[in-house]
């Protein structure tokens, strides 16, 4: 899509208001409604075990190569990356277990691994890189700061920083939302 004036959009920040409005409408529509059993069943069948195994192996391979690249320059960070890979390997039996897959629990576990790894990446990233990312983020968000709440801004900034850190170290996102 194109912005007003025919310019190509280069940032999702342009769509922030529409996304926030849609999320608010969905929250209002869902108020008072409990989780439906049919919705849970559909979510559990949305990914095959083969797809999940392939996703986990792809991610484990990428994490292994990223960790190997870090061993000489940043051994402490390499250890944290290797730890994340081992956590992924520990989750494989959950996929192999008989019965229905609990994708919500699997996603929770992946989120914890991502958060711990993000903290390690942030702690070990060069300060100049972090400053450059903040500068770029501030420049892109400047037109939208007045329209967003502080909580929305904080979440967007956290997600942006996390995205850039994972890109810098060539790490795959672990969440099932990135399963393709």
């Amino acid at each position: 899509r194109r912005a007003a004036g025919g310019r190509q959009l280069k940032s999702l920040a342009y769509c922030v208001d529409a996304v926030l409005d849609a999320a608010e409408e969905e929250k209002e529509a869902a108020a008072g409604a409990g989780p439906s059993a049919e919705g849970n069943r559909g979510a559990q069948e949305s990914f095959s075990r083969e797809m999940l195994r392939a996703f986990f192996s792809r991610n484990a391979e990428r994490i292994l190569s990223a960790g190997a690249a870090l061993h000489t320059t940043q051994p402490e960070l390499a250890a944290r990356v290797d730890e994340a890979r081992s956590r992924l390997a520990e989750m494989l039996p959950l996929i192999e277990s008989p019965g229905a897959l609990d994708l919500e629990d699997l996603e929770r576990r992946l989120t914890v691994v991502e958060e711990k790894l993000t903290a390690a990446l942030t702690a070990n990233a060069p300060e100049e890189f972090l400053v450059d990312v903040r500068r770029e983020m501030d420049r892109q968000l400047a037109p939208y700061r007045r329209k967003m709440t502080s909580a929305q801004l904080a979440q967007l900034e956290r997600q942006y920083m996390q995205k850039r850190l994972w890109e810098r170290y060539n790490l795959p996102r672990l969440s099932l939302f990135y399963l393709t």
Side-chain angles (χ1 to χ4, degrees):
R1 300 186 78 174
R2 302 227 177 248
R7 294 187 328 255
Q8 185 176 9
L9 296 178
K10 298 196 187 220
S11 171
L12 287 178
Y14 181 81
C15 305
V16 167
D17 292 333
V19 171
L20 294 174
D21 290 342
E24 189 64 33
E25 286 174 15
E26 183 175 341
K27 189 163 75 171
E28 288 174 8
S36 69
E38 191 171 305
N40 288 343
R41 194 177 322 124
Q44 290 176 348
E45 297 171 357
S46 59
F47 302 119
S48 70
R49 292 177 194 264
E50 293 79 28
M51 285 175 64
L52 289 169
R53 274 192 293 274
F55 179 70
F56 272 64
S57 351
R58 233 183 3 258
N59 286 348
E61 287 173 21
R62 284 188 60 197
I63 290 172
L64 181 64
S65 65
L70 290 168
H71 272 288
T72 55
T73 58
Q74 293 180 294
E76 183 180 319
L77 182 56
R80 299 291 164 260
V81 170
D82 290 341
E83 184 180 317
R85 188 182 55 76
S86 69
R87 294 287 175 259
L88 265 170
E90 291 172 4
M91 289 182 212
L92 280 175
L94 297 174
I95 296 172
E96 304 299 334
S97 66
L101 285 171
D102 188 353
L103 294 177
E104 288 180 18
D105 184 58
L106 193 58
E107 179 63 26
R108 278 186 214 103
R109 292 171 187 270
L110 290 169
T111 300
V112 167
V113 172
E114 268 197 5
E115 288 173 351
K116 288 176 79 172
L117 193 50
T118 299
L121 294 173
T122 304
N124 288 284
E127 284 186 35
E128 195 57 38
F129 170 76
L130 296 174
V131 169
D132 289 344
V133 170
R134 288 229 170 254
R135 202 175 285 132
E136 179 183 323
M137 181 173 46
D138 288 342
R139 189 172 41 253
Q140 286 188 7
L141 288 177
Y144 309 101
R145 286 198 181 275
R146 289 190 186 120
K147 299 175 186 176
M148 299 172 70
T149 66
S150 60
Q152 293 166 336
L153 280 169
Q155 180 179 6
L156 192 59
E157 289 172 352
R158 182 179 47 81
Q159 290 171 339
Y160 186 85
M161 182 63 74
Q162 182 178 14
K163 178 181 184 277
R164 292 296 309 275
L165 281 165
W166 285 66
E167 287 173 353
R168 175 182 171 84
Y169 291 101
N170 196 28
L171 289 164
R173 296 302 302 267
L174 303 179
S175 172
L176 295 178
F177 289 102
Y178 296 93
L179 181 77
T180 55

